[in-house]
Amino acid sequence: MVSRVFKSVHAVLLSWAFVAVAMMVIGPAQAAGVQVGGPAKVTSPGGYSSLATKAQRPGGVKVIVGANAPFSPEAVLSKTAFEAQRTAIVSAQDKVVSELQSAGLKPASHYKFKYVPYLAMTLDSASLNKLIASSNVLNIQEDVPDKAIEAIPWDVSLIGASDLQNIGVTGSGIAVAVLDTGVDKTHPYLSGAVVSEACYSSNDPTYSSTSICPGGVTESTAAGSAMPYTSGVCPEGECDHGTHVSGTVAGRAGVGGGSPGPGVAPEASIIAIQVFSVFPVGECGSGATSPCAKTFSSDQMKGLERVYDLRGTYTIASLNMSLGGGSSATNCDTDSRKPIIDLLRAAGIASAIASGNDHLCGYISYPACISTAVSVGATDSGDNVASFSNSASFLSLFAPGVSIVSSVPGDTYAEWNGTSMATPHVAGAWALMKQNHPTTSVTDILDAFTSTGTSVTDAGKCPSVTKKRINVYEAFNALGNNVQLTVVLAGNKKGVVSATGLVCSTKTKTCTGTYTAGTSVDITATANSGSFFDGWTNCTSPDGNVCHMTVNSATTVTATFNTPPKVFASPSSVNFGNVNISNPASKIVTVKNTGNSHLTISSAIISSGAVSGGTIGSGTLDPVSAEFEITDTSCVTTLAKNETCTITVIPAPASADSWGARTGLIVIESDDPKSPKTVKLTAKFAPPKISAPSTLNFGTVKIVAITPPTKTVRIKNTGTSDLLISNIVMRNSSPTLQLGDWSACGTLVKNAYCDVPVTFTPSDTIQVIDYLDITSNDPDLKKQPVATVTVKGKGK
């Protein structure tokens, strides 16, 4: 409930206290077809006569109908019993609808709630009277629209939240549901806070209300459905309220730009549920000059059921309802919202609801007056009860609600007053309590709040009322500064975990221990035979199979045991064939984890494969490198199941004379129990081979030839590796046989050749013989150190 300062509840929300008195003296109904005593089924203000009058309007009247079915919170029922209860609820709801249809009557609309025996309907007079007279109906309540009851965040140190934040209790892992006008999840103060969204809003002809949900739908759980102004329907300022409330609950720390500092639980999550609709000026109360946002009880009930649906998805500590209307001097347990609030409470979720801003003593608003809700009044920074705050003996708690600064849409902040602002202090405090005490009941946490904190008396208007203004730090300590550590054993195989103070049952996969906050705990995981420890989840300092933890808050750590990882290498052997020693080509080996656990590869090296002390897998690998080299690898890493990495390897001769066949291994060390994995490498370092004619014969050449003849010796590399020619000479340096330029013959790749010119200039008729010696790296011993070409010629 909110006011700036203080937007009062609209006049349409009458004081229910006086109506309650009137209901006690209403006589038997005179309307035709209404069973005597039946009108007592109407539990809303004004009783049957008010409801019957409204049913005569065009479009009828919106109501919530209680079907005749047994109901208990599901948390107290066995699985068989709550499944039977759900079946009975559906049957009872169907009977109500069928009874109307059989009589030729049809409600303008109807909605069946999922977990509680209620239906939301729009009825005309005939349908209303039929249901009042029906044994299938227990009660009928008008579905009236409530107004928001405004809010304010401020220095959370007053309630002890900052003391808990300083020791790491921040609401992490805990969610709070906010049923309001939506939440601007893009606001910096709420960055990352919203984890789920929903919208329940009404297009109702009776009140001329318009849905605020995106696209004008009446229900949505899509992302963005709780953004307050996305639809363009809500008037400016009317849908700021939920963002302000959420900032108080979970405003983030370290945000500049006017931020008031961290909210109560700055690492909690927000489940944003928009339950408001837009109403025309005529439905907004006397003095209204523009449309307003209000919320039907039926939409609130849909939102509450949504919270119940999400209880297994998120750890939900509480929900915040800073809304309401009317007032009651006693607990209003005939209210149709009570059964679903009971369901939530039994599931460990507290419903924090604003007491109202009507300046009342002895009365609080609906639905805060429900006995199983946690009703919240407002105080100022001096621990005085705010003058606007409703107070009563059955109020649960006070919390700060004056001059509260929090987020509003548009990346800005505003200071508001109201019990709406006090309520999120309580909802956020519940998240802090739940973080360390996840299994503690709503009742026990409420008892901790009401037995600690500061006693505040409403001296100004209601001196008989003294309640506690919450101090979450004191309440936290009242429950004990002990925190629970839970270790969950997950995976498809078995293992055990152990730590001092950790209690594990042989029949469960969960181990628990209770420790004083700040205790350091070392948890050791040991895999059973055939099992493999696959790692920790949520461990702050993992060290192999040991998890080092300092337990400051309730924490759950997961130890996973699976079938072992397995290294698979493809190909299992690599044959490079004939390798050019000067320019070897690389090949890639792909490594894959074909097991179930994460595979950690510690190294990938080249080895000659020689082993001392046994075979590979049992002995020690010879560290002497074979003539191969790993040039690149992505495999010194951790691989998930079916994930791959690669190793690039090339032949790497030890010298330029490393000719012949070579073998080696890629050795892959990992936590595969059958480590190491090896890949065989083979290559033949093929030499170069020089090819040249054995003889160069000039034949008979005229001595007086003007131009001496020149012939060439073709030298070719017919081998694989590069042929390196280091020298070519005429052995005897004959003056008649002259060697030409051979510089093109320095390096010859495979199949390359060069031509070496030789000129013959005879000086007499004697036959000349010399030898062309070619020095190269051809390793053929028959041609070492030179290849020789016999050169001869004769003059005439």
Side-chain angles (χ1 to χ4, degrees), residues 176-180 182-185 193-200 220 222 225-227 242 246 269-275 306 310:
V176 175
V178 176
L179 280 67
D180 214 294
V183 179
D184 181 2
K185 64 182 178 182
V194 175
V195 295
S196 177
E197 296 178 81
C199 182
Y200 302 99
S220 175
S225 57
M227 285 291 285
S246 297
S269 299
I270 295 292
I271 298 171
I273 303 178
Q274 202 292 117
V275 293
R306 174 66 176 168
L310 294 175

Side-chain angles (χ1 to χ4, degrees), residues 284-445:
C284 294
S286 60
T289 59
S290 61
C292 61
K294 294 195 290 187
T295 170
F296 286 109
S297 296
S298 54
D299 287 328
Q300 296 166 36
M301 291 174 69
K302 292 175 185 179
L304 291 167
E305 286 203 330
R306 174 66 176 168
V307 177
Y308 191 71
D309 275 335
L310 294 175
R311 71 195 186 282
T313 305
Y314 305 102
T315 302
I316 307 173
S318 59
L319 62 92
N320 191 102
M321 294 176 71
S322 292
L323 50 81
S327 59
S328 176
T330 60
N331 287 129
C332 51
D333 287 351
T334 58
D335 189 286
S336 57
R337 290 162 285 193
K338 184 179 187 296
I340 185 63
I341 287 174
D342 290 351
L343 272 179
L344 292 162
R345 182 166 177 142
I349 302 171
S351 298
I353 306 178
S355 69
N357 297 344
D358 304 299
H359 305 257
L360 296 176
C361 173
Y363 299 85
I364 58 177
S365 297
Y366 291 79
C369 52
I370 293 172
S371 64
T372 46
V374 178
S375 53
V376 184
T379 57
D380 62 19
S381 59
D383 277 334
N384 302 300
V385 177
S387 61
F388 55 80
S389 177
N390 293 346
S391 298
S393 60
F394 56 102
L395 178 74
S396 302
L397 295 164
F398 284 117
V402 176
S403 300
I404 306 301
V405 177
S406 188
S407 45
V408 292
D411 295 354
T412 59
Y413 299 87
E415 179 180 292
W416 290 356
N417 305 318
T419 53
S420 277
M421 302 5 313
T423 306
H425 283 79
V426 172
W430 226 280
L432 298 181
M433 297 289 279
K434 273 288 190 178
Q435 182 178 341
N436 270 28
H437 305 285
T439 60
T440 304
S441 69
V442 171
T443 298
D444 288 344
I445 291 178

Side-chain angles (χ1 to χ4, degrees), residues 278-613:
V278 172
F279 289 74
V281 175
E283 296 292 343
C284 294
S286 60
T289 59
S290 61
C292 61
K294 294 195 290 187
T295 170
F296 286 109
S297 296
S298 54
D299 287 328
Q300 296 166 36
M301 291 174 69
K302 292 175 185 179
L304 291 167
E305 286 203 330
R306 174 66 176 168
V307 177
Y308 191 71
D309 275 335
L310 294 175
R311 71 195 186 282
T313 305
Y314 305 102
T315 302
I316 307 173
S318 59
L319 62 92
N320 191 102
M321 294 176 71
S322 292
L323 50 81
S327 59
S328 176
T330 60
N331 287 129
C332 51
D333 287 351
T334 58
D335 189 286
S336 57
R337 290 162 285 193
K338 184 179 187 296
I340 185 63
I341 287 174
D342 290 351
L343 272 179
L344 292 162
R345 182 166 177 142
I349 302 171
S351 298
I353 306 178
S355 69
N357 297 344
D358 304 299
H359 305 257
L360 296 176
C361 173
Y363 299 85
I364 58 177
S365 297
Y366 291 79
C369 52
I370 293 172
S371 64
T372 46
V374 178
S375 53
V376 184
T379 57
D380 62 19
S381 59
D383 277 334
N384 302 300
V385 177
S387 61
F388 55 80
S389 177
N390 293 346
S391 298
S393 60
F394 56 102
L395 178 74
S396 302
L397 295 164
F398 284 117
V402 176
S403 300
I404 306 301
V405 177
S406 188
S407 45
V408 292
D411 295 354
T412 59
Y413 299 87
E415 179 180 292
W416 290 356
N417 305 318
T419 53
S420 277
M421 302 5 313
T423 306
H425 283 79
V426 172
W430 226 280
L432 298 181
M433 297 289 279
K434 273 288 190 178
Q435 182 178 341
N436 270 28
H437 305 285
T439 60
T440 304
S441 69
V442 171
T443 298
D444 288 344
I445 291 178
L446 181 58
D447 287 346
F449 280 130
T450 57
S451 64
T452 59
T454 300
S455 294
V456 175
T457 299
D458 191 355
K461 65 176 179 298
C462 204
S464 62
V465 172
T466 299
K467 297 290 178 180
K468 289 300 181 79
R469 189 267 296 142
I470 66 165
N471 186 301
V472 65
Y473 182 72
E474 293 179 4
F476 182 90
N477 290 328
L479 284 179
N481 195 21
N482 290 329
V483 293
Q484 189 174 71
L485 172 64
T486 302
V487 183
V488 176
L489 281 63
N492 59 21
K493 283 290 185 177
K494 293 182 179 180
V496 296
V497 295
S498 60
T500 301
L502 199 65
V503 179
C504 302
S505 167
T506 57
K507 296 182 179 181
T508 182
K509 286 194 171 185
T510 301
C511 305
T512 60
T514 301
Y515 302 90
T516 302
T519 301
S520 295
V521 181
D522 290 340
I523 313 165
T524 301
T526 304
N528 289 2
S529 176
S531 178
F532 181 85
F533 174 63
D534 197 18
W536 301 101
T537 302
N538 202 36
C539 174
T540 53
S541 299
D543 181 15
N545 70 325
V546 178
C547 171
H548 303 288
M549 292 288 296
T550 298
V551 188
N552 288 315
S553 60
T555 306
T556 298
V557 175
T558 300
T560 301
F561 299 92
N562 281 323
T563 50
K566 184 176 182 181
V567 175
F568 175 80
S570 177
S572 58
S573 63
V574 178
N575 186 353
F576 287 90
N578 287 329
V579 173
N580 181 344
I581 194 171
S582 302
N583 187 26
S586 65
K587 289 185 180 288
I588 293 177
V589 174
T590 299
V591 179
K592 183 177 182 179
N593 177 12
T594 57
N596 283 304
S597 296
H598 286 76
L599 172 72
T600 300
I601 300 175
S602 56
S603 66
I605 63 171
I606 297 294
S607 171
S608 65
V611 176
S612 59

